[in-house]
Amino acid sequence: MNKDEQVMIGLWNMFKKRMWLDSIKMKAGLKGYNPSEIHCIAYIGENEDSNVTKLAESFDMTRGAISKLSKKLVKKGLIESYQKPENKKEVYFELTEQGKAIYTIHEKMHREFKNRDQPFFDQVTEEQLDVILSFAEKYNAHLDAEIKKLGVAMKSDNL
């Protein structure tokens, strides 16, 4: 196996382990909510005047998929829609009290994950981080170019 393959396998294994560790706590603390719902709640909690278009762009999903997800969250009592007096055409979302409680739990968990991993990152030098960041930027640019060659927009339902 060459170094390119070793790097990709190492990154993939690291990502899977991180996701597995985080998911154990997330599943326990946010039981009854799927990752799409939690990420949507987090986005709305962090971004004023969230709407279907902004959510679709942020999550790289279709507007139809976001509409379906937002209706589900409204039905669960986690978000509510509103319109601005000056713009009756656009529909925006905000968290309900129940949605804010879920958002707070989610944010607390992310702080716990960061605290869990901080001792590792304290050992990493600035130069090592710069190398990793440079690699990630260059590889992402390469992948963006490959996606562009396909002539399709990257949507999660294309994966």
Side-chain angles (χ1 to χ4, degrees):
M1 181 179 340
N2 66 34
K3 284 196 178 189
D4 296 354
E5 292 168 323
Q6 288 175 326
V7 166
M8 295 308 292
I9 289 169
L11 290 172
W12 180 246
N13 286 336
M14 179 181 60
F15 179 74
K16 287 190 309 185
K17 289 173 187 174
R18 167 81 193 267
M19 294 300 293
W20 183 81
L21 273 172
D22 293 358
S23 72
I24 291 171
K25 192 158 199 106
M26 289 284 205
K27 285 177 184 173
L30 296 166
K31 198 175 225 169
Y33 304 102
N34 68 42
S36 300
E37 293 169 336
I38 298 301
H39 288 117
C40 190
I41 289 166
Y43 184 91
I44 293 169
E46 294 165 3
N47 297 279
E48 197 171 312
D49 296 335
S50 297
N51 61 22
V52 169
T53 302
K54 290 178 183 177
L55 287 161
E57 288 171 1
S58 176
F59 297 146
D60 202 28
M61 293 173 71
T62 63
R63 289 171 43 92
I66 294 295
S67 289
K68 186 176 176 181
L69 177 59
S70 62
K71 286 176 186 167
K72 191 173 172 185
L73 293 173
V74 167
K75 189 174 181 180
K76 286 186 172 188
L78 300 169
I79 67 171
E80 55 192 10
S81 61
Y82 68 93
Q83 293 178 306
K84 293 181 179 183
E86 68 275 5
N87 183 358
K88 294 291 184 187
K89 181 182 170 198
E90 192 65 54
V91 175
Y92 300 95
F93 303 111
E94 62 187 359
L95 299 178
T96 63
E97 288 306 312
Q98 185 181 351
K100 288 176 186 174
I102 298 299
Y103 173 79
T104 300
I105 292 168
H106 178 255
E107 290 303 301
K108 181 178 179 244
M109 288 181 180
H110 274 282
R111 284 191 302 277
E112 289 175 15
F113 302 153
K114 182 170 175 31
N115 291 339
R116 175 198 67 207
D117 295 340
Q118 195 57 51
F120 170 79
F121 285 103
D122 288 344
Q123 300 172 42
V124 179
T125 68
E126 199 71 29
E127 292 79 22
Q128 289 170 320
L129 290 173
D130 288 341
V131 168
I132 294 166
L133 287 171
S134 174
F135 170 82
E137 288 169 7
K138 289 175 184 174
Y139 191 53
N140 273 310
H142 163 74
L143 294 175
D144 288 342
E146 291 299 313
I147 290 167
K148 190 174 182 178
K149 283 182 193 176
L150 295 175
V152 296
M154 190 181 101
K155 298 284 183 206
S156 60
D157 51 351
N158 289 340
L159 299 176

